[in-house]
Amino acid sequence: MIGLKKPDILILGAGYGGIMTAVNLEKKLGVDDANITLVNKHDYHYQTTWLHENAAGTLHHDKTRIQIKDIISPNKVKFVQDTVKEIKTDDKRVVLENGELTYDYLVVGLGFESETFGIKGLKEHAFSIRSINAAREIREHLDYKFSQYNNTQREDLLTIVVGGAGFTGIEFVGELANRVPELCKEFDIDRSKVRIVNVEAAPTALPGFDPALVEYAMEHLERKGVEFRIGTAIKECTPEGIVVEKDGHVEEIKAATVVWAAGVRGNSILDASGFETMRGRIKVEKDLRAPGFNDVFIVGDCALIINDEINRPYPPTAQIAIQEAEVCAKNLASLVKGNNELEGFTPDIKGTVCSLGEDDAIGVVGDKKIFGKTASVMKKVIDNRYLYKLGGPSMVLKKGKLKMF
Ligand code: FAD
Ligand code: NAD
């Protein structure tokens, strides 16, 4: 306990890392132990892992977002809707758009931003799947471009380019492949006129993933009309489309919709606040604190954790963010109760499942490969399990993916 005053715990961001830290803290601390405050830009938490469905228009965003008041108890956690601008660690202050908050302990869970690697024109002309508002804009844009086609006959209106065939790119083209036939029906368009082009710079889609499962994914998506451009790098984005390069050969692809899904970085607020980062992510200590700070914890995509077995960072995932939140809450509760011996964090990777649309997926769970309906059901089980952790059975019933078969 710091002095006689109840310590102030301030959590920034209500993504997987932030909201689960709050949910876990509610269980570990009583109202007399600490003042807990959660700050988030919006009054809702959203499931980032479903945003590609909202962007494609296969799932409404109201299913993806959950009011924060329906998750946390106002008696235990005070919620402040505001935008974080800067963290001033010297005097334990956080500057918000509409005010300021101080802390004794800080948890940073401000999530990811799209990484454009300085590629010309991407920031100006490409969309990215990073929030409810960004996903909603992509969905509306697609509708609008399809609606324009019959009045103009411009083929680029029906060309959708997705940059990157990592997990986000593949999951998004999987949804698009299901959505496009619906759009065609709605706007009187022949399906054969629509192109979904997935451009990947590496020599394979889903680099590093099981090759047999990658082959399954590509085959199934190609059958639904997705064109892959593998070993092809996006070099520039213009108002007319993209410029790509493969083996020294440069080509322009005209497209009215370009969605950049080729990389993420941590929130730039960390750089702006003077933390040492690698692409916006802080390489945290074992106990999840920022190096040199005994009062600042980092969770989720802002934290960089090294996989000692291969000496490379773990890919940032919701799975890891949720696990970090448990350890972070445990460590905060220890500090508040005067115990300075903190727990170390090691990710426990249960597996990876990549969806290929509503009823198809691929995955590795333990050492087992799964695909098709089995993998798709597994993905829904994982999603529902998270909702259960967040708000018990009623949350699963309200927001869960209950149509399994
Ligand atoms: P986020 O989920 O990014 O949440 C950050 C929160 O902070 C948001 O609520 C945001 O509004 C808020 N915020 C941001 N800036 C500010 C500010 N300045 N002020 C106030 N509030 C702010 N991972 C998996 O494990 N499995 C999957 O199947 C999977 N699928 C994915 C699908 C897609 C389409 C994408 C894009 C990612 C997917 N991931 C998946 C990765 C996963 O979503 C991220 O690792 C995870 O969202 C990180 O959680 P987080 O809590 O760090 O941040
Ligand atoms: P990523 O970094 O995993 O993949 C980006 C892809 O874009 C890579 O394959 C890369 O080679 C390619 N790329 C980079 N520059 C390019 C260029 N100029 N032109 C063409 N291709 C280029 O990013 P992501 O897919 O957005 O995933 C972000 C994080 O979220 C990862 O950690 C991922 O594991 C996680 N995620 C997980 C799931 C899941 O578990 N189902 C789904 C989505 C995202």
Side-chain angles (χ1 to χ4, degrees), residues 212-234:
L213 293 176
V214 175
E215 198 182 314
Y216 173 96
M218 287 182 68
E219 243 181 63
H220 278 235
L221 293 171
E222 273 171 339
R223 228 182 289 148
K224 286 185 175 176
V226 176
E227 280 174 51
F228 285 100
R229 296 292 193 93
I230 302 297
T232 306
I234 294 186

Side-chain angles (χ1 to χ4, degrees), residues 111 265-268 270-271 277-282 301-303:
R265 49 162 289 134
N267 197 309
S268 49
L270 290 176
D271 296 300
T277 74
M278 289 160 77
R279 274 213 230 143
R281 302 172 70 197
I282 296 180
D301 281 12
C302 289

Side-chain angles (χ1 to χ4, degrees), residues 356-369:
L356 305 172
E358 158 71 17
D359 50 3
D360 201 1
I362 50 170
V364 176
V365 178
D367 54 6
K368 232 176 122 194
K369 290 179 210 179

